[in-house]
């Protein structure tokens, strides 16, 4: 069965600092991996996804993630945090069963201080 | 904007009462999903639909039923609400590219409180 582990329920950074949010997955087949962001009182919005091909994936708002099969990881990074990045971030995995059922991690809340 | 609305947006109800949440889409997407979001659990799949009258259970389906009589509407019903069903409920639709790794688009959510 698929699963996702997000290390750290809260991550605090200063504005301008590197953002690193960790995601490790478990899947019996090549996975499809996603990062979603949730701003307060809103639904989820896709940041980026990995399906096949290039392992470094670029997303919206300056975020990127690298798929590392050997480490079963898909960590999210951004070189310089902005106050507007404060939100909750979810990593998710899907196997190609045709139904595209997502399994989410428990989320990481990013706090950005001035 | 993926054209997804959820109603109601907020609801307070009492234990033992039936509750129906509605998800409406304007995009004519085939696949629709219901998730619940709880602190410490992320989002968990309750039920999903892959066409009119075609539905299946997700990870946390006990106590929930769904119906889809029209492409645009996916209803989630709590037959007899319990306090453990207090949660935020999200509806999602799958992108229509039809390939692996399709994005899911999420509605704004319904906050349900069961007293």
């Amino acid at each position: 069965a698929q699963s996702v582990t997000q290390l750290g329920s809260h991550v605090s950074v200063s504005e301008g600092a590197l953002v690193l949010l960790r995601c490790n997955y478990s899947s019996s087949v090549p996975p499809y991996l996603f990062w979603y962001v949730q701003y307060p009182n809103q639904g989820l919005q896709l940041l980026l996804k990995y399906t096949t091909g290039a392992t470094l994936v670029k997303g919206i708002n300056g975020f990127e993630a690298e798929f590392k099969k050997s480490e079963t990881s898909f960590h999210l990074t951004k070189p310089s945090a902005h106050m507007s990045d404060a939100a909750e971030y979810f990593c998710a995995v899907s196997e190609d069963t045709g139904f595209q059922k997502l399994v989410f991690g428990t989320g990481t809340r990013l706090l950005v201080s001035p | 904007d993926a054209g997804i609305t959820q109603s109601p947006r907020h609801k307070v109800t009492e234990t033992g009462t039936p509750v129906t949440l509605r998800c409406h889409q304007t995009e004519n997407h085939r696949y629709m999903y219901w998730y619940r979001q709880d602190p410490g659990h992320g989002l968990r799949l309750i039920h999903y639909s892959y066409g009119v009258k075609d539905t299946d259970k997700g990870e946390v389906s006990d106590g929930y039923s769904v119906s889809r009589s029209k492409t645009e509407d996916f209803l989630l019903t709590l037959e007899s609400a319990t306090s453990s069903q207090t949660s935020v409920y999200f509806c999602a639709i799958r992108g229509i590219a039809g390939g692996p790794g399709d994005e899911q688009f999420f509605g704004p959510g319904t906050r349900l409180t069961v007293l």
Side-chain angles (χ1 to χ4, degrees):
Chain A
Q2 315 160 73
S3 66
V4 174
T5 301
Q6 291 185 241
L7 289 177
S9 59
H10 292 79
V11 169
S12 295
V13 299
S14 299
E15 193 171 21
L18 171 71
V19 175
L20 171 61
L21 305 182
R22 299 179 186 275
C23 173
N24 289 89
Y25 69 90
S26 172
S27 177
S28 58
V29 299
Y32 302 105
L33 295 160
F34 305 80
W35 275 102
Y36 283 86
V37 61
Q38 184 181 34
Y39 298 102
N41 299 313
Q42 294 186 25
L44 278 70
Q45 176 184 1
L46 183 71
L47 272 178
L48 49 80
K49 65 179 181 181
Y50 170 79
T51 54
T52 58
T55 56
L56 182 62
V57 180
K58 295 186 183 299
I60 62 172
N61 301 338
F63 284 93
E64 62 182 36
E66 186 171 11
F67 170 61
K68 292 187 176 181
K69 183 178 179 181
S70 62
E71 299 178 7
T72 61
S73 69
F74 190 56
H75 302 331
L76 182 70
T77 61
K78 181 174 180 177
S80 177
H82 192 273
M83 296 295 289
S84 60
D85 294 326
E88 189 153 22
Y89 293 80
F90 293 94
C91 182
V93 64
S94 171
E95 295 176 350
D96 185 19
T97 64
F99 296 115
Q100 198 67 359
K101 292 183 287 184
L102 291 178
V103 174
F104 284 86
T106 53
T108 297
R109 184 167 298 279
L110 178 66
L111 307 170
V112 182
S113 57
Chain B
D1 183 3
I4 308 170
T5 57
Q6 293 185 232
S7 59
R9 293 292 314 280
H10 301 271
K11 186 172 182 66
V12 179
T13 192
E14 294 188 349
T15 297
T17 60
V19 177
T20 295
L21 309 183
R22 179 183 184 234
C23 177
H24 178 79
Q25 58 144 329
T26 59
E27 306 290 327
N28 201 34
H29 289 231
R30 179 182 173 192
Y31 291 84
M32 299 183 74
Y33 308 82
W34 277 108
Y35 294 90
R36 60 178 288 174
Q37 182 179 18
D38 304 288
H41 291 277
L43 279 80
R44 292 177 291 175
L45 182 64
I46 305 171
H47 280 278
Y48 63 99
S49 171
Y50 46 97
V52 172
K53 299 192 188 314
D54 292 322
T55 65
D56 205 349
K57 297 178 180 180
E59 178 188 0
V60 290
S61 60
D62 287 349
Y64 301 95
S65 62
V66 290
S67 65
R68 192 165 178 204
S69 59
K70 298 184 292 184
T71 298
E72 59 265 34
D73 289 325
F74 191 29
L75 304 181
L76 177 71
T77 297
L78 291 65
E79 300 290 348
S80 178
T82 68
S83 58
S84 65
Q85 294 175 311
T86 292
S87 186
V88 181
Y89 292 86
F90 286 99
C91 174
I93 60 176
R94 176 181 174 181
I96 60 173
D102 282 347
E103 174 181 357
Q104 288 185 19
F105 298 91
F106 286 80
T110 294
R111 184 174 297 274
L112 176 67
T113 302
V114 183
L115 302 176

